[in-house]
Amino acid sequence: MKDTLMSVLFITITIYIIWKNRITLMKLTKIQLIGVVLSYLVAIFVVFSLIYFGGNWIAGQFSNVILKYIIFLAIVCIVLYFCGSILQRVLEKITNGVLPKK
C-alpha cells in the first residue's frame, strides 16, 4: 500500500511540475527536451547508485546504530548537493540558460 501511494504521489508531482512549467518547456527544441530528460534520468540513476550502494557500504562499516544513521544521512546530503549542482550546470548548458529556473 505504501509503495502504491508513493508511486502515485511521484507521478502526480511530476505531472504538476511539467504542467506548471509548460510555457518554459515549449521554448525548448526537441533535441534540448531529449537532453533534459536524459540528464534527469542519468542524475537519478547516479544518485540512486551512490546512495544505495556507496552509502550503505560506508554506513555498514560502523557498528553503532546512531553513528550509522548519521553517516548515511551525511552521505545522502553530500551526494544530493553535488549531483544537483552538476545537473544544474548541465541543464544550463543544454538549454542555453532557459533551465533551471531560479
Side-chain angles (χ1 to χ4, degrees):
M1 180 66 180
K2 188 166 94 174
D3 294 334
T4 306
L5 179 65
M6 292 302 290
S7 298
V8 169
L9 187 61
F10 171 74
I11 292 169
T12 305
I13 290 172
T14 303
I15 291 171
Y16 172 73
I17 290 172
I18 290 171
W19 181 258
K20 190 174 91 172
N21 296 312
R22 68 187 181 277
I23 305 297
T24 304
L25 293 175
M26 283 194 268
K27 294 178 185 176
L28 302 176
T29 65
K30 289 182 183 180
I31 294 176
Q32 287 175 327
L33 278 174
I34 291 170
V36 167
V37 170
L38 286 176
S39 297
Y40 271 107
L41 291 176
V42 167
I44 290 170
F45 177 74
V46 168
V47 167
F48 169 77
S49 298
L50 288 175
I51 290 173
Y52 185 76
F53 296 114
N56 283 330
W57 179 74
I58 292 172
Q61 304 298 319
F62 299 94
S63 59
N64 187 346
V65 176
I66 295 172
L67 186 60
K68 192 182 287 192
Y69 286 122
I70 291 171
I71 296 294
F72 186 76
L73 182 62
I75 291 170
V76 168
C77 292
I78 291 168
V79 167
L80 288 175
Y81 175 76
F82 283 117
C83 287
S85 63
I86 291 171
L87 178 63
Q88 181 177 1
R89 282 187 242 137
V90 168
L91 289 177
E92 285 176 0
K93 194 92 150 164
I94 290 173
T95 64
N96 298 325
V98 175
L99 287 177
K101 294 170 82 176
K102 298 283 181 189

